[in-house]
């Protein structure tokens, strides 16, 4: 058998764009909410409204919200891996211009507690969470250069002498003939 002369070399540099960080963070947050809404819809309702013993339809609606969070979570996890900066920023812009305003509308038009939020800016839950989500999306548009991570270069010469097996490997190979 013939040994290959190719040795795996790790990349010397990888870059991570800020929109990747933003999309990944947004995906993680949505997945967290998917887990909380799907694992215990009754507990999520109690946490949101303070009322215990939710109806079956209320639990169902919270579970459906959890499913929507799961879809968005996996979608944004995928967007974090997409190479196109434009696609990531477009998806973040859609989230910021559709999801966020509709969440604010729902909180005022159909408050979970029956009482619309007060104060400007409102600090009742879930508004602090929505502000954090919005900050994650805004981060994706920050004019920050990609982060560069340096990895140690493979194949650096060491101070120790080469062993006979590696020193003579190239000289002992036979050339392939046609």
């Amino acid at each position: 058998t013939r040994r290959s002369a190719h040795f795996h070399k790790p990349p010397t540099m990888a870059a991570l764009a800020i929109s990747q960080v933003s999309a990944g963070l947004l995906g993680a947050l949505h997945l967290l909410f998917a887990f909380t809404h799907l694992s215990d819809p009754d507990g999520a309702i109690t946490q949101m409204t303070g009322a215990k013993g939710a109806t079956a339809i209320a639990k169902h609606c919270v579970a459906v919200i959890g499913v929507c969070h799961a879809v968005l979570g996996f979608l944004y996890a995928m967007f974090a891996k997409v190479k196109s900066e434009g696609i990531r920023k477009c998806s973040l812009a859609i989230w910021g211009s559709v999801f966020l305003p509709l969440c604010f509308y729902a909180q005022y038009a159909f408050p979970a507690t029956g009482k619309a939020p007060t104060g400007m800016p409102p600090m009742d839950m879930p508004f602090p969470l929505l502000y954090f989500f919005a900050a994650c999306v805004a981060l994706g548009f920050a004019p920050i250069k990609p982060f560069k991570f340096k990895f140690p270069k493979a194949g650096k010469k060491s101070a120790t002498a080469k062993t006979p097996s590696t020193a003579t490997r190239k000289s002992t190979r036979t050339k392939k003939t046609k």
Side-chain angles (χ1 to χ4, degrees):
T1 62
R2 184 177 164 171
R3 289 186 178 180
S4 173
H6 175 74
F7 295 97
H8 174 71
K9 294 181 183 177
T12 56
M13 192 172 290
L16 188 63
I18 195 68
S19 62
Q20 286 177 293
V21 173
S22 179
L25 190 55
L26 192 61
L29 289 169
H30 275 292
L31 288 173
L32 172 71
F33 279 96
F35 176 77
T36 61
H37 284 65
L38 288 169
S39 65
D40 185 16
D42 193 35
I45 292 169
T46 302
Q47 191 177 24
M48 285 185 280
T49 64
K52 294 187 181 202
T55 64
I57 189 69
K59 290 178 194 177
H60 171 76
C61 290
V62 169
V64 169
I65 291 168
V67 170
C68 294
H69 276 297
V71 169
L72 286 171
F74 283 108
L75 189 63
Y76 278 94
M78 186 256 335
F79 281 137
K81 297 296 290 174
V82 168
K83 290 186 179 186
S84 171
E85 179 97 12
I87 289 175
R88 275 193 308 275
K89 286 188 175 183
C90 180
S91 71
L92 291 170
I94 290 169
W95 188 96
S97 62
V98 176
F99 185 86
L100 193 59
L102 290 177
C103 283
F104 275 81
Y105 168 74
Q107 293 304 318
Y108 280 100
F110 310 102
T113 59
K115 190 172 126 183
T118 59
M120 242 350 168
M123 294 308 289
D124 307 359
M125 284 303 270
F127 285 99
L129 295 172
L130 293 176
Y131 300 146
F132 186 70
F133 270 81
C136 292
V137 170
L139 177 68
F141 294 95
I144 299 173
K145 291 183 181 180
F147 302 111
K148 294 187 179 181
F149 300 99
K150 292 183 180 180
F151 298 101
K153 290 186 179 182
K156 282 190 175 182
K157 293 183 181 180
S158 64
T160 60
K162 293 181 179 179
T163 62
S165 62
T166 59
T168 58
R169 185 178 292 152
K170 288 184 179 177
S171 63
T172 58
R173 286 195 192 128
T174 57
K175 291 186 178 184
K176 192 174 180 180
T177 57
K178 290 184 181 182

